[in-house]
Amino acid sequence: EETKGGETPIFRSHLIKIDKSKPLDGIVCMMSDGTKELKSMYLKSFRNFKDTLFLGSRPSRTEEYVVEETKETKTKLVFDDYLFMTYNQAEEFATGLANH
């Protein structure tokens, strides 16, 4: 899909078919097997793609540095590499949250 400046593209599962003739320009979608509920989509994905990467995040930390001209110490936010969870790990995490 085309993006505007500063935006990232939207990636959709190949299992989802979008009917752009419907209102909302395809925001409402349905899986190719007719599933419409989000919970059912996730459960099918957890079952079918256990070892596939699913959710990612970038841990952040602050680092101090010195501005040469002023000798002032400042901090900056630094992002590390992405860490990903598989569908199976995400399901275990979500199940753990639900059980508490």
Side-chain angles (χ1 to χ4, degrees), residues 17-58:
K17 61 182 178 182
I18 297 172
D19 184 353
K20 292 194 176 190
S21 68
K22 304 272 184 191
L24 302 178
D25 194 30
I27 292 173
V28 177
C29 56
M30 181 183 309
M31 291 184 73
S32 57
D33 66 356
T35 302
K36 289 190 273 187
E37 297 82 25
L38 188 59
K39 180 181 176 184
S40 297
M41 287 183 191
Y42 276 116
L43 292 175
K44 285 180 184 184
S45 295
F46 290 147
R47 186 175 57 245
N48 295 329
F49 307 108
K50 287 184 182 292
D51 297 321
T52 303
L53 296 180
F54 174 52
L55 288 175
S57 64
R58 292 179 69 185

Side-chain angles (χ1 to χ4, degrees), residues 4 11 16 22 45 51 58 65 67 79 92 95:
K4 297 175 186 168
F11 298 100
I16 296 174
K22 304 272 184 191
S45 295
D51 297 321
R58 292 179 69 185
Y65 67 99
V67 178
F79 291 94
E92 288 173 4
T95 302

